């Protein structure tokens, strides 16, 4: 990736400020897709910061990994459309693509899959970490803890400037997160942890570690495994979202990648972000019956009511979320396979979607179902508990986080250090206690 310095004679933005004759010239930089950016680096020297809470209009970095066009509902991973990847690729192949920038050939694909398979076990000492948690601990709380703790087990590969260390760490994280995730579920159930198996695919292994017990063989349903693989694939990366930005910011301090991914997991947990899939199911449970939908839609529109329609809206997608469309198709496939023709949750979700998309509030604010709206219905139908939904999102997102972290660390970068608009007290002298 070339550091895009403005080409000599490139376009400029000219800023004039009332009361100042001087015009501030700011270079405009262009990428291969999407909006151009105005490089504001020199503004500080002019005595100004920009102000953009929530980074609505801010590009935080250059990247070659994922491109989103929110108006057209486009999502590309290294240039490949999500629709084609969901239909023709696999999760591990997408992991390879995100990490390496190109689709693997047959040998590269086989070697990558083999590498991941041989890193799925976790150190036996890590198993002890789980017994420190209450059985009813939220699995995301466990994932935050044990993922960060991985940095205590791999002192041999923590030199972030060593590409070989970065590579093995990427492989270890992609391989071990599902093992840690399913261990958090087994622990909550009071069941023994199930070891990963090298004869199973990534998604088959996940389902096996979730639902197998030592008492009987567990047969993975291939349709469910395919759906699980697609759910991981649809969550793999998504440009500079809140959790990825957290991973990059943590990484910009030189923190080790395990700690950075743990920070990303913590950020993902929020109901406005990855926690929305769990919140959608909680919301559908709260609505309870189709006859209550209008009341909840009214609440979502009421500015004085904090209630929001979970699974709707997106910072970038102001049209449909292409992942939601694919997820809805997958949802129908899984329910058909499970013979769950009349799924009340799906029926309610579809009715809620129809009502919302016909309501002028949602149309005017361009609020459409996002990736989280249908994923929970599939996961619940598979038998995965609601508390595990965001853990599955985190599992899917791990290759994206680590690819974005690696892209930053393998190019010149600076520590992330935003400034502020200060509105607190101006300088004043200390008041001794006796005088207050
Ligand atoms: C993910 O960034 C990513 O890429 C994230 C993600 C990924 O893959 O990493 O795609 C994953 O996080 C998907 C989003 C999951 N979150 C939810 O489903 C929670 C419900 N959605 C909202 O909280 C909200 O839509 C956000 C947080 C997703 C986006 O918020 P923004 O971009 O900051 O938009 P906003 O909050 O300023 O909303 C704009 C307007 C507001 O009304 P006004 O102040 O203009 O009058 O739309 C309203 C909001 O009140 N609004 C909603 C709403 N979402 C926005 N009103 C009712 N229900 C909603 N869901």
């Amino acid at each position: 990736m070339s550091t895009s310095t403005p080409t000599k004679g490139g376009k400029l933005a000219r800023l004039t400020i009332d009361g100042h004759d001087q015009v501030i010239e700011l270079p405009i930089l262009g990428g291969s897709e999407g909006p151009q950016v105005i490089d504001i680096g020199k503004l500080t020297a002019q005595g100004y910061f920009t102000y953009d809470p929530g980074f609505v209009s801010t590009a935080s970095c250059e990247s070659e990994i994922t491109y989103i066009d929110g108006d057209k509902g486009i999502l590309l991973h290294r240039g490949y459309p999500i629709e084609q990847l969901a239909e023709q690729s696999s999760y591990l192949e997408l992991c390879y693509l995100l990490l390496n920038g190109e689709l693997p050939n047959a040998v590269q694909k086989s070697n990558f899959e083999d590498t991941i398979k041989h890193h799925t076990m976790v150190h036996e000492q890590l198993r002890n970490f789980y017994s420190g948690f209450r059985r009813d601990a939220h699995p995301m709380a466990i994932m935050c803890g044990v993922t960060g703790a991985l940095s205590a087990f791999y002192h041999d590969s923590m030199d972030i400037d060593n590409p070989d260390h970065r590579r093995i760490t990427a492989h270890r994280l992609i391989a071990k997160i599902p093992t840690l995730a399913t261990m958090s579920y087994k622990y909550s159930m009071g069941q023994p942890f199930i070891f990963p198996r090298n004869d199973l695919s990534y998604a088959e292994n996940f389902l096996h570690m979730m639902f197998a017990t030592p008492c009987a063989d567990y047969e993975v349903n291939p349709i469910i495994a395919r759906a699980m693989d697609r759910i991981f694939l649809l969550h793999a990366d998504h440009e500079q979202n809140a959790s990825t930005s957290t991973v990059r910011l943590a990484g910009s301090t030189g923190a080790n990648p395990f700690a950075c991914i743990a920070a990303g997991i913590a950020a993902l947990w929020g109901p406005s972000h990855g926690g929305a899939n769990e919140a959608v199911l909680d919301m559908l449970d709260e609505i309870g019956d189709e006859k209550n939908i209008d009341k909840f839609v009214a609440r979502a529109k009421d500015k004085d009511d904090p209630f929001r329609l979970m699974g709707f809206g997106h910072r970038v997608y102001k049209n449909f979320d292409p992942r939601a469309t694919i997820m809805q198709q997958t949802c129908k496939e899984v329910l058909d396979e499970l013979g769950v023709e009349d799924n009340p949750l799906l029926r309610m979700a579809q009715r809620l979607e129809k009502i919302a998309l016909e309501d002028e509030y949602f149309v005017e604010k361009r609020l459409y179902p996002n990736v989280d709206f249908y994923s929970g219905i599939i996961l619940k139908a598979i038998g995965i508990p609601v508390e595990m939904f965001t853990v599955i999102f985190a599992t899917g997102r791990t290759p994206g986080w680590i690819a974005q972290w690696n892209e930053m660390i393998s190019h010149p970068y600076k520590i992330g250090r935003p400034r502020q608009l200060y509105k607190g007290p101006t300088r004043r002298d200390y008041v001794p206690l006796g005088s207050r």
Side-chain angles (χ1 to χ4, degrees), residues 56 68 234-235 237-244 268 270-277 279-280 297 299-301 303 307-318 321 323 361-362 364-365 367 370-373 393 397:
V56 177
I68 302 171
L234 292 174
H235 287 89
D237 189 50
H238 212 237
E239 200 209 67
Q240 306 312 318
N241 59 83
S243 54
T244 299
L268 185 78
S272 290
H273 190 17
N277 52 16
V280 166
V297 170
R299 283 188 56 195
K301 293 157 58 175
K303 289 217 72 62
F307 174 79
R308 286 194 164 181
L309 225 45
M310 303 316 281
F312 272 79
H314 199 278
R315 170 60 58 79
V316 178
Y317 290 122
K318 297 308 175 189
D321 177 339
R323 301 169 300 172
Y361 172 92
F362 288 85
E364 184 251 324
K365 292 186 187 297
L367 302 174
N370 57 49
V371 68
D372 294 303
F373 188 63
F393 192 144
R397 183 54 53 90

Side-chain angles (χ1 to χ4, degrees), residues 6-15 24-29 36-39 42:
T7 47
K8 193 144 181 52
K11 282 199 296 183
L12 292 172
R14 290 182 174 81
L15 186 63
I24 302 172
E25 292 187 337
L26 302 169
I28 292 178
L29 311 179
Q36 296 182 317
V37 299
I38 298 174
D39 181 343
K42 66 170 37 167

Side-chain angles (χ1 to χ4, degrees), residues 122 126 145-154 173 176-177 180 258:
V122 294
L126 253 172
V146 295
T147 304
L150 284 173
S151 53
F153 289 83
Y154 297 109
L173 279 160
K176 295 181 196 300
I177 291 285
L180 297 174
F258 301 104

Side-chain angles (χ1 to χ4, degrees), residues 193-230:
F193 298 142
I194 298 296
F195 281 103
R197 279 180 28 187
N198 294 344
D199 61 328
L200 298 177
S201 72
Y202 193 91
E204 289 169 343
N205 218 356
F206 182 85
L207 292 168
H208 180 262
M209 292 190 287
M210 277 288 292
F211 298 122
T213 67
C215 317
D217 289 342
Y218 174 77
E219 203 61 36
V220 177
N221 178 324
I223 304 285
I224 304 301
R226 176 77 186 122
M228 204 66 237
D229 190 86
R230 188 174 295 168

Side-chain angles (χ1 to χ4, degrees), residues 49-51 417-424:
F49 298 146
T50 56
Y51 183 64
R417 205 304 189 185
R419 300 304 301 274
Q420 62 180 10
L421 172 63
Y422 178 69
K423 303 184 85 171

